[in-house]
Amino acid sequence: MADLHIKLKTPHTGEYDQPTGLFINNEWVRGVDGKTFEVVNPSDETIICSVHEATEKDVDIAVSAARKAFNGPWRKVAPNDRGRMLTKLADLFEENVEVLAAVEALDNGKALAMAKGDVAAAAGCLRYYGGWADKIEGKVVDTSHDTFNYTKKEPIGVCGQIIPWNFPLLMWSWKIGPAIAAGNVVLIKTAEQTPLSGLVAATLVAKAGFPPGVINVISGFGKVAGAAISSHMDIDKVAFTGSTVVGRQIMKAAAGSNLKKVTLELGGKSPNIVFEDADIDNAISWVNFGIYFNHGQCCCAGSRVYVQESIYDKFIQKFKERAEKNAVGDPFHGDTFQGPQVSQLQFDRIMSYIEEGKKEGAKVETGGKRIGTKGYFIEPTIFSNVTEDMKIVQEEIFGPVCTISKFKTQEEAISIGNNTTYGLAAAVHTTNLNTAIEVSNELRAGTVWVNTYNTLHWQLPFGGYKESGIGRELGEAALDNYTQVKTVSIRLGGALFG
Ligand code: NAI
Ligand code: MG
């Protein structure tokens, strides 16, 4: 039987304590079926360790623990105290930033500096929702002189949270902060590619004062534990971030079981539009960051770059130079901006998109190749000479690959910007205020950035139009997904017709 805790090393922290079990009821346990799975370091393709795998039976156990907490002690915890626990959890994230970030860099492959940024943002998110916990209020609604009505915003109940591997800790915080602030309980399943940081974060849950069963963290596969969550009869809500294909399956599973509430944060193919009056150097730095940040593994990645005709030649030259300067390599090396892709599967998917692009007649301006022979490193890649119908322009690649093309007018920019089934994000680069606002108004996307990119903030709602999702995360808007309104109507005037 594998251990529930092991000593692991990262190049940054030396030895640390890595839990490997399932975190249920504030305790570390093994899966009922006794299964484990291997965790891979994407930088060198070695096995880091094995973790315990949750199957359907473990999901049942975790749901019972969560339900018991929801019906029992958690209901009686005052909102202010829930807030205090979330704030404490945020403090603990910050106190443990070095180890949390190092584990993230080891398992996911992102640069240590970026991982530290994720930890800071996760702490910011948890603290922000800690602040909301005692500010979730209903209303008094006056309908007649002999009635007293009020509404309450009540928690939904047991929330099954399924997260991806691109921002393991950040997604952990997005899925826990608003749910807990609103008084729900949580069972979170991390992605099978990156289970380690979520388990280290789980060690902080009891320290922050959460009663047993309020936050449960399991490792496991989508088709097993993930499917068990989305079809479970005693989970009241499922929140998912990941592929659109799986998002559809989750909706179906919810529809086929107990009609649990569903929120989805799915893919994107976001346009990054540069007008001729933009500050070109700023625009290039944001276009570069827009696609290559997190190795292109962002649901909101600015993967379609559109540049106004008159500046196109100058822009592409400078953008190429900028992309070629991005330091790709060891996540633990101080200068690294881009690490490896997360897995062999993702690496293969991206390389096949690159081959497809070439076959379809697009031109590789820069990149297009693997770097080295060990680890899933891919050169920052730019495709030009593309047409709107090409696969590389229409489908989410989820790697360091963008396409670039020209447009003539504002109308054309809006029309090609919206020429996608997705609608997660978009950006406009211009120094003209009217252009910025007019184009932002017309783009069908949940977030529009002007003269910036990928600058998410926990106070600002984030989510998709069209096939990019349902519901919003972050900001006050996320609380709507974790509360349900109860109306209480009190008759003051005696009997009907009386
Ligand atoms: P995925 O959608 O399969 O995985 C995301 C999460 O869903 C993981 O926790 C996984 O275990 C779970 N899952 C998988 N199948 C499930 C099922 N049937 N029921 C319940 N949960 C399930 O994504 P994958 O395969 O890792 O990546 C494929 C593509 O998805 C990427 O190339 C990218 O285009 C997109 N993606 C988008 C993300 C986003 O942030 N919106 C994040 C990760 C992937
Ligand atoms: Mg890994």
Side-chain angles (χ1 to χ4, degrees), residues 38-42 46 48 104 106-109 192-196 342-343:
E38 288 175 340
V39 184
V40 177
N41 178 345
T46 59
I48 303 171
E104 199 78 312
L106 186 73
D107 192 3
N108 166 282
E192 53 269 40
Q193 296 84 353
T194 55
L196 298 185
V342 77
S343 65

Side-chain angles (χ1 to χ4, degrees), residues 189-218:
K189 186 197 85 62
T190 54
E192 53 269 40
Q193 296 84 353
T194 55
L196 298 185
S197 60
L199 296 174
V200 177
T203 64
L204 308 175
V205 165
K207 286 186 191 151
F210 288 101
V214 174
I215 297 175
N216 306 279
V217 183
I218 60 173

Side-chain angles (χ1 to χ4, degrees), residues 304-365:
R304 293 186 293 139
V305 181
Y306 297 108
V307 180
Q308 203 159 16
E309 205 173 41
S310 59
I311 59 162
Y312 181 84
D313 291 340
K314 187 168 154 204
F315 187 94
I316 199 164
Q317 193 48 42
K318 285 191 158 195
F319 178 31
K320 248 165 71 172
E321 286 164 17
R322 183 71 192 75
E324 284 162 7
K325 272 195 213 133
N326 292 340
V328 185
D330 179 357
F332 289 96
H333 191 283
D335 297 332
T336 298
F337 170 70
Q338 181 186 316
Q341 307 308 126
V342 77
S343 65
Q344 180 76 53
L345 186 65
Q346 285 303 120
F347 175 86
D348 292 343
R349 273 183 189 155
I350 297 161
M351 293 311 289
S352 74
Y353 271 114
I354 291 176
E355 288 317 308
E356 186 83 22
K358 289 183 195 163
K359 250 190 259 155
E360 283 184 308
K363 177 182 171 202
V364 178
E365 288 284 348

